[in-house]
Amino acid sequence: MYDIIQAVSEERIQKDISTLVSFGTRHTLSDTVSATRGIGAARRWIKKEFEAISENCNNCLEVFYQKDLVKKGTGPRIVNDVWVVNVVAIQRGTTYPNKFIIMSGDIDSRVSDPNNYTSDSPGANDNASGMAGTIEASRVLSKYNFENSIMYVGLSGEEQGLFGGKGLAAYAKEQGWEILGIFNNDMIGNIKGVDGVVSNRDFRIFSEPVPPTETEEERRVRRFYGGEVDGISRQLARYVHKTTRDYMPEMNPMLIYRLDRFARGGHHRPFNDAGFAGIRIMEAHENYTQQHQDIRMENGIAYGDVLEHVNFAYAKKLTAVNAINLASIAWAPPPPVNVEIGGAVQPSVRLRWQPVEGAKGYKIYWRDTTSPTWDHSQYVGDVNEHTLDGIVIDNYLFGVASIGPDGHESVVVFPGSVFRD
Ligand SMILES: [Zn+2]
């Protein structure tokens, strides 16, 4: 894990962000024919980069376009028929080729008018930073083998209404891919907030509390057994928080108990809509004069999302956060299934689950009901049930993770049902 952190290169991230900016605009509806300007040139360059990385690892990446035709008028920001084209690179897992952990950035950019597809729109931070981080993570991780598949993807159509994410989530369902989760990286390069705060350590992990796909019955049951803040995306967020704290103590990950920023959107959401775990990883201190802005001077303020405002050392840190979490999940066994809990009116708590292939054992986690993080744990070995003596179920929340032979842990699973015997 420390080797992975060390291997992430600030210089390469800087170079890739600069290259993405050099395409002038990467607006989803911009030129696709030019070799030097527009989203067509940008996506061809991204595909070439992934292919070059693949050549350096014995063709370890499967690189392809995934695309959907979005018809004019599908949304207020689709003013022409447009192919929304994502660039996908899959590093196939050795044991679980159909299970995927995904890192994404966005290809597209915009200026003040979301439908202006010709003006210069460098999108250096939003979101060349996330795109460059995703490419760099693939460079670093392609030197290793993993049990689970890792997918690196450049999504398009984000600014026009999250169309690339929608397309890829639907494609994932069609293909029967098991998505372990997606890390949506959207703006990972700004350290100077519009509020005056400057920090190259803080970053945010956004996650929704429970999936939007949950049933009325699941909602009813939750009222009695808990789980209001323990959906699959929230567990993924806690996982990233913990891994960062363990391996990158200089960073300050902030768990944000929200789907996304207030009234704003991002490309993890279409995956959440499809029932997959997904989080947004991003800077903590945004600068709104440098997002979605025409490049201009106004009242002494330089507006525009230009290269000069990106802190490459910070983008490198957040890329490393992604890389160690991709690796950790891709090396881990599958999470335990059918986790059940019992212990009403008892001085102990019982958990049981279905064992999974590849786990050398299991760890039970618990926490105070008001704590955002899994603060306590006990490794219980290769069993499929365990009783925690002396703990009253009412006062804590519980979960179970699988542990692999090398100590890599799955995401914690919150009990999905209750037993009484
Ligand atoms: Zn944006």
Side-chain angles (χ1 to χ4, degrees):
M1 298 288 264
Y2 295 112
D3 289 346
I4 288 170
I5 294 167
Q6 285 297 321
V8 176
S9 159
E10 176 184 338
E11 290 70 30
R12 287 192 298 254
I13 289 171
Q14 175 165 6
K15 189 162 165 272
D16 289 352
I17 294 176
S18 309
T19 301
L20 287 161
V21 166
S22 77
F23 294 111
T25 174
R26 302 185 309 282
H27 192 284
T28 300
L29 287 92
S30 63
D31 192 310
T32 60
V33 178
S34 164
T36 53
R37 187 178 174 88
I39 195 162
R43 70 191 174 222
R44 286 190 292 277
W45 175 78
I46 293 164
K47 185 158 179 277
K48 272 217 183 87
E49 266 321 287
F50 281 135
E51 284 164 350
I53 293 161
S54 188
E55 269 173 35
N56 278 321
C57 62
N58 266 321
N59 300 315
C60 75
L61 300 180
E62 300 159 30
V63 183
F64 58 95
Y65 290 134
Q66 184 277 318
K67 60 181 180 178
D68 290 286
L69 181 65
V70 180
K71 297 292 258 183
K72 177 178 176 174
T74 301
R77 296 181 181 180
I78 302 291
V79 294
N80 291 316
D81 288 359
V82 61
W83 281 99
V84 171
V85 182
N86 301 317
V87 186
V88 183
I90 293 173
Q91 186 175 354
R92 198 61 76 165
T94 53
T95 313
Y96 313 104
N98 202 44
K99 293 184 197 288
F100 296 86
I101 182 74
I102 307 173
M103 176 176 182
S104 74
D106 301 305
I107 305 171
D108 62 309
S109 64
R110 59 164 282 197
V111 288
S112 302
D113 171 4
N115 293 337
N116 173 350
Y117 52 82
T118 53
S119 290
D120 273 350
S121 177
N125 189 43
D126 182 12
N127 186 12
S129 65
M131 187 67 250
T134 302
I135 296 170
E136 177 62 7
S138 79
R139 280 192 197 101
V140 171
L141 297 181
S142 60
K143 307 292 178 209
Y144 299 85
N145 288 315
F146 298 96
E147 278 80 349
N148 296 282
S149 295
I150 301 178
M151 191 183 301
Y152 313 93
V153 59
L155 297 170
S156 188
E158 198 268 345
E159 306 290 5
Q160 306 319 107
L162 310 177
F163 287 98
K166 264 178 229 168
L168 188 63
Y171 187 75
K173 290 225 143 169
E174 257 171 55
Q175 298 293 311
W177 290 344
E178 289 178 57
I179 306 296
L180 298 165
I182 181 167
F183 303 150
N184 166 36
N185 286 261
D186 195 346
M187 294 190 272
I188 60 168
N190 185 64
I191 64 166
K192 290 184 188 168
V194 76
D195 53 2
V197 177
V198 182
S199 166
N200 60 359
R201 298 187 169 216
D202 305 343
F203 72 95
R204 294 179 288 180
I205 309 166
F206 286 89
S207 63
E208 65 180 359
V210 292
T213 50
E214 73 168 359
T215 62
E216 201 45 40
E217 175 62 10
E218 284 166 334
R219 196 180 74 82
R220 192 192 67 78
V221 163
R222 212 175 60 217
R223 197 170 167 218
F224 302 99
Y225 305 132
E228 296 85 351
V229 294
D230 276 279
I232 51 175
S233 295
R234 186 60 51 75
Q235 305 305 351
L236 187 63
R238 290 191 180 108
Y239 189 96
V240 171
H241 182 272
K242 179 178 188 296
T243 312
T244 307
R245 279 281 165 88
D246 286 350
Y247 293 98
M248 299 178 67
E250 75 277 22
M251 298 308 285
N252 173 30
M254 301 158 67
L255 284 170
I256 308 287
Y257 273 28
R258 287 180 184 281
L259 166 64
D260 208 321
R261 288 89 32 86
F262 188 88
R264 302 186 68 194
H267 249 152
H268 53 307
R269 191 168 90 213
F271 290 86
N272 293 161
D273 290 341
F276 300 131
I279 59 175
R280 178 186 186 124
I281 294 175
M282 77 176 298
E283 64 209 27
H285 307 290
E286 290 181 65
N287 195 325
Y288 311 114
T289 63
Q290 296 160 19
Q291 299 173 7
H292 306 173
Q293 297 284 354
D294 293 336
I295 300 170
R296 66 192 192 280
M297 278 297 286
E298 208 174 282
N299 303 322
I301 297 168
Y303 286 84
D305 187 358
V306 295
L307 202 57
E308 290 69 40
H309 299 306
V310 178
N311 186 291
F312 305 106
Y314 178 71
K316 171 200 150 133
K317 290 283 188 187
L318 294 202
T319 299
V321 165
N322 279 268
I324 57 172
N325 279 285
L326 291 170
S328 184
I329 289 178
W331 272 323
V337 290
N338 295 330
V339 177
E340 299 183 303
I341 192 165
V345 296
Q346 303 281 329
S348 59
V349 178
R350 286 180 63 198
L351 286 133
R352 65 188 190 199
W353 56 90
Q354 226 165 282
V356 288
E357 179 202 346
K360 76 155 189 193
Y362 301 87
K363 200 188 257 189
I364 294 177
Y365 281 94
W366 66 99
R367 65 181 209 268
D368 287 1
T369 58
T370 50
S371 173
T373 48
W374 292 113
D375 302 314
H376 314 286
S377 67
Q378 185 183 343
Y379 179 68
V380 297
D382 190 11
V383 295
N384 66 348
E385 65 173 315
H386 186 78
T387 302
L388 286 170
D389 281 318
I391 290 185
V392 173
I393 195 170
D394 310 335
N395 303 335
Y396 302 92
L397 295 165
F398 301 85
V400 185
S402 308
I403 314 296
D406 298 332
H408 294 290
E409 299 192 16
S410 75
V411 172
V412 173
V413 177
F414 193 80
S417 59
V418 167
F419 63 89
R420 306 171 181 277
D421 56 22

